[in-house]
């Protein structure tokens, strides 16, 4: 009886170890499941009035990043910022870059999508947006899938905040695209 109990306990411990490894592996992969060949294209910091807001990294399987290729933009925040502030600021930047983008009643829908994709952030929170041509985009918070947006126009307008030549931070854009090398 004791030998059988020991065998069952060993099997249970092995099962738990395998399950823990499987869960850990899936949380580690996150957005990389969608872009397994992605490598770091560039990175930089965004500051506002001298205060560090976030570090940004751009990942892509292609050295030339554009809206015809998938890519991931990873932001690691350095400050506490509410979800509502992230949404409002994103809408303001989309509007500033392309005022036409928010016409046709899109603003409320895009705000709703972003509220589902974003969280209140604090120092160290990482939000990664994955742009997928022909699909839309996906948002991951600290490696976990948070929300999928299947709106191609939203995806392009959102990532244009960083990648459009009219971005608020041309130096960060150049760093992300690897143009400073």
């Amino acid at each position: 009886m004791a030998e059988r109990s020991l065998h069952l306990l060993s099997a249970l411990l092995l099962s738990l170890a395998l399950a823990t490894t499987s869960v850990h592996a899936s949380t580690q992969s996150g957005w990389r499941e969608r872009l397994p060949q992605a490598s770091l294209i560039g990175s930089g910091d965004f500051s506002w009035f001298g205060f560090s807001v976030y570090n940004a990294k751009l990942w892509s399987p292609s050295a030339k990043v554009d809206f015809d290729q998938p890519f991931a933009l990873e932001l690691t925040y350095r400050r506490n910022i509410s979800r509502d502030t992230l949404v409002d600021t994103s809408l303001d930047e989309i509007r500033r870059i392309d005022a036409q983008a928010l016409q046709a009643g899109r603003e409320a829908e895009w705000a709703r999508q972003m509220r589902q994709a974003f969280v209140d952030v604090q120092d160290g929170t990482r939000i990664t947006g994955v742009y997928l041509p022909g699909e839309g985009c996906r948002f991951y918070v600290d490696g976990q899938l948070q929300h999928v947006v299947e709106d191609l126009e939203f995806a392009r307008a959102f990532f244009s905040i960083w990648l459009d030549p009219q971005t608020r931070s041309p130096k960060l854009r150049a760093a992300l695209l690897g143009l400073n090398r």
Side-chain angles (χ1 to χ4, degrees):
M1 180 74 169
E3 185 176 317
R4 185 168 191 263
S5 295
L6 184 59
H7 183 68
L8 285 173
L9 180 60
S10 295
L12 178 62
L13 289 174
L14 178 61
S15 295
L16 284 172
L18 290 173
T20 303
T21 302
S22 173
V23 167
H24 182 68
S26 68
T27 61
Q28 291 295 358
S29 56
W31 64 266
R32 290 188 177 276
E33 289 178 3
R34 296 303 303 235
L35 298 175
Q37 302 300 319
S39 59
L40 182 65
I41 303 302
S43 66
D45 293 312
F46 179 75
S47 297
W48 189 250
F49 293 109
F51 294 99
S52 179
V53 179
Y54 56 77
N55 172 266
K57 293 180 180 172
L58 186 63
W59 302 84
S60 177
S62 172
K64 181 180 184 293
V65 177
D66 59 32
F67 288 103
D68 294 328
Q69 305 293 324
F71 58 80
L73 179 67
E74 177 182 80
L75 304 180
T76 303
Y77 287 87
R78 300 291 177 225
R79 315 192 67 62
N80 295 348
I81 305 171
S82 73
R83 171 194 335 231
D84 288 336
T85 298
L86 293 175
V87 170
D88 292 343
T89 302
S90 297
L91 288 170
D92 288 346
E93 288 303 300
I94 290 170
R95 188 179 301 106
R96 190 183 63 73
I97 291 170
D98 180 8
Q100 300 295 320
L102 291 175
Q103 292 190 3
R106 288 188 189 131
E107 186 167 346
E109 174 58 20
W110 288 7
R112 187 184 71 75
Q113 295 286 355
M114 286 188 275
R115 279 190 190 88
Q116 291 180 316
F118 304 159
V119 297
D120 294 337
V121 299
Q122 56 191 349
D123 187 11
T125 301
R126 188 172 25 96
I127 296 180
T128 306
V130 177
Y131 175 82
L132 300 165
E135 292 181 44
C137 56
R138 295 170 162 252
F139 292 93
Y140 297 79
V141 175
D142 292 330
Q144 298 293 314
L145 180 62
Q146 178 77 13
H147 187 59
V148 176
V149 181
E150 295 176 341
D151 182 332
L152 303 179
E153 291 180 45
F154 167 81
R156 187 176 184 108
F158 179 78
F159 289 103
S160 288
I161 293 170
W162 293 270
L163 301 179
D164 190 272
Q166 299 303 312
T167 183
R168 183 169 299 280
S169 182
K171 288 181 182 177
L172 177 58
R173 176 183 182 265
L176 289 172
L177 293 173
L179 302 176
N180 295 341
R181 294 180 193 160

